[in-house]
Amino acid sequence: MKLFDVYPLNNIEIVKAQDSSVWDADGNKYLDLYGGHAVISIGHTHPHYVRRLTEQLNKVGFYSNSVIISQQIELAEKLGNLSAKPDFQLFLCNSGAEANENALKLASFYNKRKKIIAFKGAFHGRTSLAVSATDNPKIIAPVNETENVTFLPLNDELALDEAFKSFGNEISSVIIEGIQGVGGIREASKSFLQKIRSLCDQYDAVYIADSVQCGYGRTGQFYSHDYAGVEADIYSMAKGMGNGFPIGGISISPKFKPWYGELGTTFGGNHLACAAALAVLEVMEKDDLMKNAEEIGDYIIKELKQIPQITEIRGRGLMIGIELSEEYANVKKDLLFKHRIFTGEAKPNVIRLLPALNITKEHADQFLTALKTELNK
């Protein structure tokens, strides 16, 4: 049997990882400023993380949600406090797509409606309803096609107003990334998020804050949406939540009243997943990583603004997009193979930085020096 060939691969095999460094099978060391799609939030193989998982595995690795799992209760309490949402409720699952599926489903259960507003450039996942709310027709199979999702321009308050005036009483939910990742690090404005909150209140629709990539402390706030000064009804999360261990979840406003069987999962919230997520939150709190994300992110952005070849810089904290002109299309590849620095990309020509929240100024300077070298050739 061969692997189903759906991933374009770099000819690199990572065999060791520590902090913000990874090593390939030939012993070459790389600086990781991408963290496997914003997944590595506290650094690779963090000692506390490894210890937490090892201790849990030596006790019990898995049992189903048919019994009490005290780690889930501990995780909910810690997550509520660190995210400043202590009165919210937590449902645990396995991934960001699954988190968004459950958020959209919960909203529809709540108001008995079907229509969803999403935004151009959005990416919410690859599963059935999540992919239908994703602005990429190429990955929407015929079975996923639905007339229930309407795409509006990001930050277009007039278009949003008009949509609610036209069919507001049919709208179940509005789902939006605080900062679009795949869409090129494009940020929802404060006034736009405030408008979503206002219209959802007026029409009893549900405001879903997709925080899968832009959340979990990456911008210096726990949820990037909260910089607008309003709360969402549901926050979805996953990538940075388990530092590489598969886990996702939705943080749910107290206005939602659960009933048995409403949502469900086999593996979500298992003992090992909770141990991983607790380790992440404990390190984030102890080392004040949200503050570090803000400070190092501000430093990188400030330095990038001094580089004239860059077309535009977008993002906040450690979610940064660097837009380059077509003549610099090979820079990302050169950073990887010449300077051994992993970065991400967004089409057509945006370099994405999504490093661990505990990167240092030295890591930042290593990247900045390499970038300047490539742009000044």
Side-chain angles (χ1 to χ4, degrees):
M1 182 183 291
K2 294 182 179 179
L3 295 174
F4 197 52
D5 190 11
V6 293
Y7 299 116
L9 300 177
N10 293 306
N11 189 25
I12 298 170
E13 181 185 5
I14 300 302
V15 298
K16 177 185 172 184
Q18 185 176 11
D19 191 31
S20 286
S21 298
V22 296
W23 288 260
D24 67 19
D26 296 321
N28 297 308
K29 182 181 179 181
Y30 299 76
L31 174 62
D32 183 11
L33 296 185
Y34 196 54
H37 306 300
V39 166
I40 302 301
S41 49
I42 60 170
H44 294 281
T45 59
H46 190 287
H48 180 66
Y49 176 82
V50 173
R51 184 166 55 251
R52 257 291 202 170
L53 278 167
T54 303
E55 289 174 355
Q56 184 60 56
L57 187 58
N58 282 322
K59 296 175 182 175
V60 55
F62 173 83
Y63 205 75
S64 79
N65 285 301
S66 62
V67 299
I68 294 170
I69 299 176
S70 60
Q71 292 90 339
Q72 293 182 356
I73 300 167
E74 185 182 358
L75 175 58
E77 182 177 358
K78 194 157 197 67
L79 178 59
N81 289 334
L82 202 57
S83 65
K85 305 276 186 287
D87 58 339
F88 274 50
Q89 306 157 91
L90 179 64
F91 176 77
L92 293 165
C93 53
N94 306 286
S95 70
E98 189 180 343
N100 284 329
E101 289 279 343
N102 280 290
L104 293 163
K105 185 176 182 180
L106 187 61
S108 187
F109 272 133
Y110 168 77
N111 53 28
K112 308 297 189 289
R113 301 172 187 169
K114 296 181 180 180
K115 287 195 177 295
I116 298 162
I117 289 181
F119 298 95
K120 292 180 180 177
F123 187 95
H124 297 296
R126 291 177 176 267
T127 52
S128 181
L129 191 51
V131 80
S132 297
T134 290
D135 185 24
N136 184 353
K138 184 179 179 180
I139 63 171
I140 299 176
V143 73
N144 302 132
E145 292 173 358
T146 175
E147 296 180 356
N148 290 327
V149 180
T150 297
F151 289 96
L152 301 177
L154 183 68
N155 290 328
D156 189 332
E157 295 182 29
L158 181 60
L160 187 63
D161 262 325
E162 288 300 316
F164 270 91
K165 285 177 184 176
S166 297
F167 50 90
N169 291 322
E170 301 174 55
I171 296 171
S172 174
S173 59
V174 178
I175 184 167
I176 185 169
E177 299 155 274
I179 303 174
Q180 292 181 342
V182 174
I185 315 296
R186 299 190 182 277
E187 189 166 16
S189 70
K190 288 184 179 181
S191 63
F192 194 63
L193 296 176
Q194 290 163 358
K195 173 68 75 172
I196 291 172
R197 176 70 278 167
S198 175
L199 290 169
C200 284
D201 286 341
Q202 183 179 344
Y203 288 87
D204 199 28
V206 175
Y207 169 15
I208 299 171
D210 181 340
S211 301
V212 171
Q213 187 172 128
C214 62
Y216 243 75
R218 179 155 296 281
T219 61
Q221 290 177 287
F222 198 87
Y223 300 120
S224 68
H225 302 70
D226 286 353
Y227 92 131
V230 293
E231 282 192 334
D233 296 307
I234 303 174
Y235 296 83
S236 60
M237 64 200 92
K239 290 188 183 296
M241 192 175 184
N243 205 54
F245 197 100
I247 183 171
I250 50 176
S251 182
I252 305 162
S253 162
K255 77 179 186 182
F256 295 87
K257 307 304 178 188
W259 42 269
Y260 289 155
E262 184 178 16
L263 303 177
T265 171
T266 297
F267 296 106
N270 67 73
H271 294 76
L272 280 175
C274 288
L278 280 164
V280 168
L281 292 177
E282 287 159 356
V283 172
M284 284 176 64
E285 185 175 38
K286 177 178 177 291
D287 295 344
D288 204 2
L289 294 191
M290 286 191 283
K291 181 180 179 183
N292 188 71
E294 182 179 12
E295 291 178 349
I296 300 297
D298 286 349
Y299 171 73
I300 293 173
I301 291 170
K302 178 184 175 184
E303 293 299 310
L304 289 172
K305 287 179 178 178
Q306 309 304 313
I307 302 175
Q309 296 94 332
I310 294 174
T311 303
E312 188 178 3
I313 302 152
R314 297 188 292 269
R316 275 188 292 133
L318 291 176
M319 187 170 185
I320 299 170
I322 305 165
E323 185 162 338
L324 300 170
S325 62
E326 186 61 33
E327 64 182 298
Y328 300 112
N330 289 326
V331 167
K332 177 185 176 294
K333 182 179 178 182
D334 290 339
L335 285 170
L336 178 58
F337 289 103
K338 293 182 181 179
H339 300 272
R340 294 184 181 142
I341 300 175
F342 275 97
T343 62
E345 67 177 346
K347 303 297 183 184
N349 203 29
V350 177
I351 292 175
R352 278 197 287 169
L353 301 184
L354 297 160
L357 307 187
N358 55 0
I359 66 161
T360 64
K361 184 174 177 290
E362 288 71 28
H363 292 136
D365 286 336
Q366 182 181 342
F367 164 74
L368 290 163
T369 298
L371 180 64
K372 290 173 185 176
T373 297
E374 292 306 315
L375 292 179
N376 286 320
K377 282 183 176 179

Short mmCIF file of all heavy atoms in Angstrom, two decimals, residues 191-228:
data_model
loop_
_atom_site.label_atom_id
_atom_site.label_comp_id
_atom_site.label_asym_id
_atom_site.label_seq_id
_atom_site.Cartn_x
_atom_site.Cartn_y
_atom_site.Cartn_z
N SER A 191 -14.34 47.43 14.49
CA SER A 191 -15.71 47.88 14.22
C SER A 191 -16.53 46.79 13.53
O SER A 191 -17.74 46.68 13.75
CB SER A 191 -15.71 49.16 13.40
OG SER A 191 -15.14 48.95 12.13
N PHE A 192 -15.86 45.97 12.71
CA PHE A 192 -16.57 44.89 12.02
C PHE A 192 -17.03 43.82 13.01
O PHE A 192 -18.17 43.34 12.95
CB PHE A 192 -15.68 44.29 10.94
CG PHE A 192 -16.42 43.42 9.95
CD1 PHE A 192 -17.40 43.96 9.15
CD2 PHE A 192 -16.12 42.08 9.83
CE1 PHE A 192 -18.09 43.17 8.22
CE2 PHE A 192 -16.79 41.28 8.92
CZ PHE A 192 -17.78 41.83 8.11
N LEU A 193 -16.15 43.45 13.92
CA LEU A 193 -16.52 42.47 14.95
C LEU A 193 -17.61 43.02 15.86
O LEU A 193 -18.51 42.28 16.29
CB LEU A 193 -15.28 42.05 15.74
CG LEU A 193 -14.19 41.32 14.95
CD1 LEU A 193 -12.98 41.05 15.84
CD2 LEU A 193 -14.72 40.01 14.37
N GLN A 194 -17.54 44.29 16.16
CA GLN A 194 -18.58 44.92 16.97
C GLN A 194 -19.91 44.93 16.23
O GLN A 194 -20.98 44.71 16.83
CB GLN A 194 -18.16 46.34 17.34
CG GLN A 194 -17.01 46.39 18.34
CD GLN A 194 -16.32 47.75 18.40
OE1 GLN A 194 -16.67 48.68 17.68
NE2 GLN A 194 -15.31 47.87 19.28
N LYS A 195 -19.87 45.13 14.92
CA LYS A 195 -21.08 45.10 14.09
C LYS A 195 -21.69 43.70 14.08
O LYS A 195 -22.91 43.52 14.18
CB LYS A 195 -20.76 45.56 12.68
CG LYS A 195 -21.88 45.41 11.67
CD LYS A 195 -23.04 46.36 11.94
CE LYS A 195 -22.70 47.76 11.52
NZ LYS A 195 -23.89 48.66 11.61
N ILE A 196 -20.84 42.68 13.97
CA ILE A 196 -21.34 41.29 14.02
C ILE A 196 -22.04 41.04 15.35
O ILE A 196 -23.15 40.48 15.38
CB ILE A 196 -20.17 40.29 13.84
CG1 ILE A 196 -19.65 40.36 12.40
CG2 ILE A 196 -20.61 38.87 14.18
CD1 ILE A 196 -18.39 39.55 12.16
N ARG A 197 -21.42 41.47 16.43
CA ARG A 197 -22.02 41.27 17.75
C ARG A 197 -23.39 41.96 17.83
O ARG A 197 -24.38 41.38 18.32
CB ARG A 197 -21.09 41.82 18.82
CG ARG A 197 -21.60 41.77 20.26
CD ARG A 197 -21.66 40.36 20.82
NE ARG A 197 -22.86 39.65 20.43
CZ ARG A 197 -23.04 38.33 20.57
NH1 ARG A 197 -22.08 37.59 21.09
NH2 ARG A 197 -24.15 37.76 20.18
N SER A 198 -23.45 43.18 17.37
CA SER A 198 -24.68 43.96 17.44
C SER A 198 -25.80 43.32 16.62
O SER A 198 -26.94 43.19 17.08
CB SER A 198 -24.41 45.39 16.95
OG SER A 198 -25.60 46.13 16.89
N LEU A 199 -25.49 42.91 15.40
CA LEU A 199 -26.50 42.32 14.53
C LEU A 199 -26.94 40.94 15.03
O LEU A 199 -28.12 40.59 14.94
CB LEU A 199 -25.98 42.22 13.10
CG LEU A 199 -25.84 43.57 12.37
CD1 LEU A 199 -25.07 43.40 11.08
CD2 LEU A 199 -27.22 44.18 12.11
N CYS A 200 -26.01 40.17 15.54
CA CYS A 200 -26.38 38.86 16.11
C CYS A 200 -27.30 39.03 17.31
O CYS A 200 -28.26 38.27 17.48
CB CYS A 200 -25.13 38.08 16.50
SG CYS A 200 -24.25 37.35 15.09
N ASP A 201 -27.04 40.04 18.13
CA ASP A 201 -27.94 40.32 19.25
C ASP A 201 -29.32 40.73 18.76
O ASP A 201 -30.35 40.28 19.27
CB ASP A 201 -27.35 41.44 20.12
CG ASP A 201 -26.17 40.98 20.96
OD1 ASP A 201 -26.02 39.76 21.16
OD2 ASP A 201 -25.40 41.85 21.41
N GLN A 202 -29.34 41.58 17.75
CA GLN A 202 -30.61 42.09 17.23
C GLN A 202 -31.48 41.00 16.61
O GLN A 202 -32.70 40.99 16.78
CB GLN A 202 -30.32 43.18 16.19
CG GLN A 202 -31.57 43.85 15.62
CD GLN A 202 -31.23 44.93 14.60
OE1 GLN A 202 -30.09 45.39 14.53
NE2 GLN A 202 -32.22 45.34 13.82
N TYR A 203 -30.83 40.04 15.93
CA TYR A 203 -31.58 39.02 15.19
C TYR A 203 -31.51 37.63 15.85
O TYR A 203 -31.96 36.65 15.26
CB TYR A 203 -31.06 38.93 13.76
CG TYR A 203 -31.44 40.11 12.90
CD1 TYR A 203 -30.64 41.26 12.87
CD2 TYR A 203 -32.59 40.10 12.12
CE1 TYR A 203 -30.97 42.36 12.08
CE2 TYR A 203 -32.94 41.19 11.31
CZ TYR A 203 -32.12 42.32 11.31
OH TYR A 203 -32.46 43.40 10.52
N ASP A 204 -30.95 37.56 17.04
CA ASP A 204 -30.81 36.28 17.76
C ASP A 204 -30.02 35.25 16.96
O ASP A 204 -30.31 34.05 16.98
CB ASP A 204 -32.17 35.71 18.15
CG ASP A 204 -32.06 34.68 19.28
OD1 ASP A 204 -31.12 34.78 20.09
OD2 ASP A 204 -32.91 33.76 19.33
N ALA A 205 -29.03 35.72 16.21
CA ALA A 205 -28.09 34.84 15.53
C ALA A 205 -26.89 34.60 16.45
O ALA A 205 -26.70 35.29 17.45
CB ALA A 205 -27.63 35.45 14.21
N VAL A 206 -26.08 33.61 16.11
CA VAL A 206 -24.96 33.20 16.95
C VAL A 206 -23.64 33.66 16.33
O VAL A 206 -23.37 33.40 15.16
CB VAL A 206 -24.95 31.67 17.14
CG1 VAL A 206 -23.72 31.22 17.92
CG2 VAL A 206 -26.23 31.21 17.85
N TYR A 207 -22.85 34.36 17.11
CA TYR A 207 -21.53 34.85 16.69
C TYR A 207 -20.49 33.79 17.06
O TYR A 207 -20.24 33.54 18.24
CB TYR A 207 -21.26 36.19 17.38
CG TYR A 207 -19.85 36.76 17.28
CD1 TYR A 207 -18.90 36.30 16.39
CD2 TYR A 207 -19.48 37.81 18.12
CE1 TYR A 207 -17.63 36.84 16.33
CE2 TYR A 207 -18.22 38.37 18.07
CZ TYR A 207 -17.30 37.87 17.17
OH TYR A 207 -16.04 38.41 17.12
N ILE A 208 -19.90 33.16 16.02
CA ILE A 208 -18.89 32.12 16.22
C ILE A 208 -17.52 32.69 15.88
O ILE A 208 -17.28 33.12 14.74
CB ILE A 208 -19.18 30.88 15.34
CG1 ILE A 208 -20.54 30.28 15.69
CG2 ILE A 208 -18.07 29.84 15.52
CD1 ILE A 208 -20.98 29.18 14.73
N ALA A 209 -16.63 32.71 16.83
CA ALA A 209 -15.27 33.21 16.66
C ALA A 209 -14.33 32.04 16.40
O ALA A 209 -13.97 31.31 17.33
CB ALA A 209 -14.83 34.00 17.89
N ASP A 210 -13.98 31.84 15.14
CA ASP A 210 -13.04 30.77 14.80
C ASP A 210 -11.65 31.20 15.26
O ASP A 210 -11.00 32.04 14.65
CB ASP A 210 -13.07 30.52 13.29
CG ASP A 210 -12.13 29.40 12.86
OD1 ASP A 210 -11.20 29.06 13.61
OD2 ASP A 210 -12.31 28.87 11.75
N SER A 211 -11.21 30.58 16.34
CA SER A 211 -9.91 30.91 16.94
C SER A 211 -8.93 29.76 16.80
O SER A 211 -7.96 29.66 17.56
CB SER A 211 -10.11 31.24 18.43
OG SER A 211 -10.99 32.32 18.59
N VAL A 212 -9.17 28.89 15.83
CA VAL A 212 -8.36 27.69 15.67
C VAL A 212 -6.89 28.04 15.44
O VAL A 212 -6.00 27.48 16.06
CB VAL A 212 -8.91 26.81 14.53
CG1 VAL A 212 -7.95 25.68 14.20
CG2 VAL A 212 -10.28 26.25 14.92
N GLN A 213 -6.64 28.99 14.54
CA GLN A 213 -5.25 29.40 14.27
C GLN A 213 -4.88 30.70 14.97
O GLN A 213 -3.77 30.85 15.45
CB GLN A 213 -5.02 29.54 12.76
CG GLN A 213 -3.57 29.79 12.39
CD GLN A 213 -3.31 29.74 10.89
OE1 GLN A 213 -2.74 30.64 10.32
NE2 GLN A 213 -3.73 28.66 10.26
N CYS A 214 -5.81 31.63 15.05
CA CYS A 214 -5.48 32.97 15.58
C CYS A 214 -5.68 33.08 17.09
O CYS A 214 -5.44 34.14 17.66
CB CYS A 214 -6.33 34.02 14.87
SG CYS A 214 -8.12 33.84 15.10
N GLY A 215 -6.13 32.00 17.73
CA GLY A 215 -6.38 32.04 19.16
C GLY A 215 -5.29 31.42 19.99
O GLY A 215 -4.16 31.24 19.54
N TYR A 216 -5.62 31.09 21.20
CA TYR A 216 -4.72 30.44 22.16
C TYR A 216 -3.46 31.26 22.43
O TYR A 216 -2.35 30.75 22.46
CB TYR A 216 -4.38 29.02 21.71
CG TYR A 216 -4.89 28.01 22.73
CD1 TYR A 216 -6.25 27.70 22.81
CD2 TYR A 216 -4.02 27.44 23.65
CE1 TYR A 216 -6.72 26.83 23.78
CE2 TYR A 216 -4.48 26.56 24.62
CZ TYR A 216 -5.84 26.26 24.69
OH TYR A 216 -6.31 25.41 25.67
N GLY A 217 -3.66 32.57 22.60
CA GLY A 217 -2.57 33.43 23.04
C GLY A 217 -1.66 33.95 21.96
O GLY A 217 -0.76 34.75 22.22
N ARG A 218 -1.90 33.52 20.71
CA ARG A 218 -0.95 33.84 19.63
C ARG A 218 -0.82 35.34 19.37
O ARG A 218 0.26 35.81 18.97
CB ARG A 218 -1.38 33.10 18.36
CG ARG A 218 -0.49 33.37 17.16
CD ARG A 218 -0.54 32.24 16.17
NE ARG A 218 -0.02 31.01 16.73
CZ ARG A 218 1.28 30.72 16.87
NH1 ARG A 218 2.20 31.60 16.48
NH2 ARG A 218 1.66 29.57 17.38
N THR A 219 -1.87 36.11 19.57
CA THR A 219 -1.80 37.55 19.28
C THR A 219 -1.47 38.39 20.51
O THR A 219 -1.43 39.62 20.42
CB THR A 219 -3.14 38.04 18.71
OG1 THR A 219 -4.17 37.82 19.67
CG2 THR A 219 -3.47 37.32 17.42
N GLY A 220 -1.27 37.74 21.65
CA GLY A 220 -1.06 38.48 22.89
C GLY A 220 -2.31 38.53 23.74
O GLY A 220 -2.24 38.85 24.93
N GLN A 221 -3.45 38.24 23.14
CA GLN A 221 -4.70 38.00 23.87
C GLN A 221 -5.08 36.55 23.66
O GLN A 221 -4.73 35.95 22.64
CB GLN A 221 -5.82 38.92 23.36
CG GLN A 221 -5.63 40.37 23.71
CD GLN A 221 -6.74 41.23 23.11
OE1 GLN A 221 -6.77 41.46 21.92
NE2 GLN A 221 -7.65 41.70 23.95
N PHE A 222 -5.86 35.99 24.57
CA PHE A 222 -6.15 34.56 24.43
C PHE A 222 -6.91 34.30 23.14
O PHE A 222 -6.57 33.41 22.38
CB PHE A 222 -6.92 34.03 25.64
CG PHE A 222 -6.84 32.54 25.74
CD1 PHE A 222 -5.80 31.94 26.42
CD2 PHE A 222 -7.78 31.73 25.11
CE1 PHE A 222 -5.69 30.56 26.48
CE2 PHE A 222 -7.69 30.35 25.17
CZ PHE A 222 -6.64 29.76 25.85
N TYR A 223 -7.98 35.05 22.91
CA TYR A 223 -8.70 34.98 21.64
C TYR A 223 -8.49 36.30 20.90
O TYR A 223 -8.80 37.36 21.44
CB TYR A 223 -10.19 34.76 21.87
CG TYR A 223 -10.53 33.48 22.61
CD1 TYR A 223 -11.21 33.51 23.83
CD2 TYR A 223 -10.18 32.23 22.09
CE1 TYR A 223 -11.52 32.35 24.51
CE2 TYR A 223 -10.49 31.06 22.77
CZ TYR A 223 -11.16 31.12 23.98
OH TYR A 223 -11.47 29.97 24.65
N SER A 224 -8.01 36.24 19.68
CA SER A 224 -7.69 37.48 18.95
C SER A 224 -8.92 38.36 18.76
O SER A 224 -8.81 39.58 18.72
CB SER A 224 -7.07 37.15 17.59
OG SER A 224 -8.02 36.55 16.72
N HIS A 225 -10.11 37.75 18.66
CA HIS A 225 -11.34 38.52 18.46
C HIS A 225 -11.61 39.50 19.60
O HIS A 225 -12.25 40.53 19.39
CB HIS A 225 -12.55 37.58 18.37
CG HIS A 225 -12.48 36.55 17.28
ND1 HIS A 225 -11.61 35.48 17.32
CD2 HIS A 225 -13.20 36.41 16.13
CE1 HIS A 225 -11.79 34.74 16.24
NE2 HIS A 225 -12.74 35.27 15.50
N ASP A 226 -11.12 39.18 20.79
CA ASP A 226 -11.51 39.96 21.96
C ASP A 226 -10.90 41.35 21.98
O ASP A 226 -11.25 42.17 22.84
CB ASP A 226 -11.14 39.19 23.24
CG ASP A 226 -12.08 38.02 23.49
OD1 ASP A 226 -13.08 37.89 22.75
OD2 ASP A 226 -11.83 37.24 24.43
N TYR A 227 -10.01 41.65 21.04
CA TYR A 227 -9.46 43.01 21.00
C TYR A 227 -10.54 44.02 20.60
O TYR A 227 -10.38 45.22 20.80
CB TYR A 227 -8.24 43.07 20.09
CG TYR A 227 -8.46 43.42 18.63
CD1 TYR A 227 -7.69 44.40 18.02
CD2 TYR A 227 -9.40 42.75 17.84
CE1 TYR A 227 -7.85 44.71 16.67
CE2 TYR A 227 -9.57 43.06 16.50
CZ TYR A 227 -8.80 44.05 15.92
OH TYR A 227 -8.96 44.35 14.59
N ALA A 228 -11.67 43.52 20.08
CA ALA A 228 -12.77 44.41 19.70
C ALA A 228 -13.63 44.80 20.90
O ALA A 228 -14.52 45.64 20.77
CB ALA A 228 -13.64 43.74 18.64
#
